[in-house]
Amino acid sequence: MLVVMRQDATHDQIQGVVRAVEARGFKAHPIPGALRTAIGITGNRGAVDRPVFESLPGVLEIIPVTHAYKLVSREVKPEDTVVRVGDVAVGGPEFVIAAGPCAVESLEQILIVAHKVKAAGARLLRGGAFKPRTSPYTFQGLGEEGLRMLAAAREETGLPVVTEALDAESVDLVERHADAIQVGARNMQNFSLLKRCGKARKPVLLKRGLAATLEEFLMSAEYILAEGNYQVILCERGVRTFSDFSRNTLDLAVVPAVKALSHLPIFVDPSHGTGRRDKVGPMSRGAAAVGADGLIVEVHHDPDTALSDGAQSLTPDMFAALVGELRQIAPVLGRRL
Ligand code: PEP
Ligand code: MN
């Protein structure tokens, strides 16, 4: 349920509603809007005593929220959410590109790639230190040492860092060293991890699961918001289908579907979405065209020797050419890059 406050409601009146919600054992989520504040109520099992809230000072109206997800819904917050990763605003007028290697392999590697992607126009640096690999025998990432290398690359380039946390322990480390916490596709329904991310002070990039419906995707984001972290960027990274020409099927249609239902920004990952570097450029252009707020792209200075995902990693030159194309496309769509 949503308590919509009058435009002239005072801070004390808003706090009064919050206290009334909490006194009933529910959780109150004040959501400031352009014109007025709304207060989302979660944690109630059945209907909330509507007349009680209607009569509180400063309350304009009570709106039942029809979707299973509440806080991520546009019903609750009609305006787009802008998420800040370091000093970069995601979900505003800028089309934001995060780029970097699949995995941090060495200090030298991450510094080379970070400088290259920064020069080409990336605004965020990606790179995995904790890698969720299908095989336990392949490179698992450098762990905390990798996080320190990412932090060093941020020092040198100024690019805020987004990197994956695999479990609750790695969230502690990622939260300390990075600017945004990535939750990978395989962890989209790891509910204890989502709850932990909801308590984090850093924004979360939540990837869609390999076989997740839109509703499941939004419910996973809801777990994070329900714990109090409203800074979530969704990310479409491809789903499993019968396609035999690409690693996954990049579901670009989910972008306008998310935009209709949710105020959260959404990125597209054309690297995992296709698995082949020759398909990354076309799908990136498509992602911009369908209204994505940005991209997360794998780039490696020597993809053929990469320890993971080399086949889908762009070379720095390919990445620079792609950014050049996106710079031509973005203004047509009313965006800046
Ligand atoms: C990654 O970004 O390197 C990654 C493992 O992504 P996903 O969780 O989408 O497979
Ligand atoms: Mn990868």
Side-chain angles (χ1 to χ4, degrees):
M1 203 178 76
L2 190 65
V3 181
V4 182
M5 301 301 290
R6 293 163 48 103
Q7 219 169 313
D8 59 2
T10 63
H11 176 74
D12 282 353
Q13 290 172 335
I14 294 169
Q15 286 313 307
V17 173
V18 168
R19 278 195 299 275
V21 171
E22 289 173 351
R24 283 159 182 79
F26 310 146
K27 199 159 175 181
H29 304 264
I31 303 155
L35 291 179
R36 48 173 61 95
T37 293
I39 300 161
I41 303 180
T42 60
N44 53 304
R45 290 191 193 281
V48 173
D49 195 0
R50 192 168 168 160
V52 172
F53 289 97
E54 263 166 356
S55 57
L56 290 175
V59 171
L60 177 69
E61 59 176 337
I62 308 293
I63 302 177
V65 180
T66 50
H67 288 115
Y69 42 86
K70 312 284 178 200
L71 302 172
V72 306
S73 157
R74 268 208 200 272
E75 284 183 279
V76 165
K77 181 172 182 280
E79 298 102 6
D80 288 341
T81 287
V82 175
V83 174
R84 289 192 181 276
V85 183
D87 59 353
V88 176
V90 174
E94 188 180 359
F95 186 77
V96 173
I97 304 178
C102 177
V104 180
E105 298 169 3
S106 66
L107 181 61
E108 188 194 9
Q109 173 243 20
I110 194 66
L111 291 179
I112 294 173
V113 179
H115 281 290
K116 295 267 187 201
V117 298
K118 158 107 192 206
R123 300 277 281 133
L124 302 172
L125 177 64
R126 68 144 288 148
F130 297 95
K131 295 303 303 175
R133 302 306 301 280
T134 302
S135 162
Y137 307 119
T138 53
F139 179 56
Q140 304 286 306
L142 297 178
E144 189 171 8
E145 208 190 332
L147 294 179
R148 290 210 188 87
M149 294 173 185
L150 284 164
R154 175 184 51 217
E155 275 302 296
E156 283 209 7
T157 60
L159 293 177
V161 165
V162 50
T163 190
E164 181 162 355
L166 282 183
D167 43 34
E169 300 91 81
S170 49
V171 176
D172 293 344
L173 293 171
V174 167
E175 205 183 359
R176 196 171 320 140
H177 293 283
D179 302 282
I181 306 161
Q182 180 174 323
V183 174
R186 290 156 193 81
N187 266 324
M188 190 203 81
Q189 288 189 313
N190 179 338
F191 300 116
S192 56
L193 178 63
L194 297 174
K195 286 184 185 171
R196 171 63 187 83
C197 286
K199 295 199 161 58
R201 300 278 178 86
K202 295 280 168 74
V204 178
L205 179 84
L206 175 65
K207 291 191 143 195
R208 182 181 180 186
L210 277 68
T213 64
L214 172 55
E215 169 136 343
E216 288 164 344
F217 190 19
L218 293 176
M219 289 305 285
S220 289
E222 184 80 14
Y223 264 91
I224 301 171
L225 272 72
E227 295 293 330
N229 187 352
Y230 302 97
Q231 296 279 291
V232 174
I233 305 166
L234 302 169
C235 181
E236 162 60 26
R237 50 78 73 206
V239 290
R240 278 285 164 82
T241 68
F242 48 80
S243 167
D244 59 359
F245 64 89
S246 62
R247 179 174 177 184
N248 291 294
T249 295
L250 191 63
D251 182 13
L252 287 182
V254 85
V255 173
V258 161
K259 290 281 171 197
L261 295 175
S262 176
H263 52 84
L264 295 175
I266 178 163
F267 270 12
V268 166
D269 173 348
S271 308
H272 295 86
T274 64
R276 293 282 160 196
R277 77 176 68 107
D278 61 333
K279 298 185 179 70
V280 168
M283 296 314 282
S284 300
R285 300 193 297 264
V290 298
D293 295 291
L295 299 173
I296 179 161
V297 185
E298 289 184 342
V299 179
H300 196 287
H301 66 292
D302 185 10
D304 295 339
T305 65
L307 295 182
S308 65
D309 286 348
Q312 66 194 32
S313 298
L314 298 182
T315 63
D317 285 349
M318 289 175 82
F319 177 68
L322 172 59
V323 176
E325 291 168 356
L326 292 168
R327 284 203 168 118
Q328 290 181 270
I329 295 171
V332 181
L333 301 161
R335 300 205 83 134
R336 161 159 75 61
L337 197 158

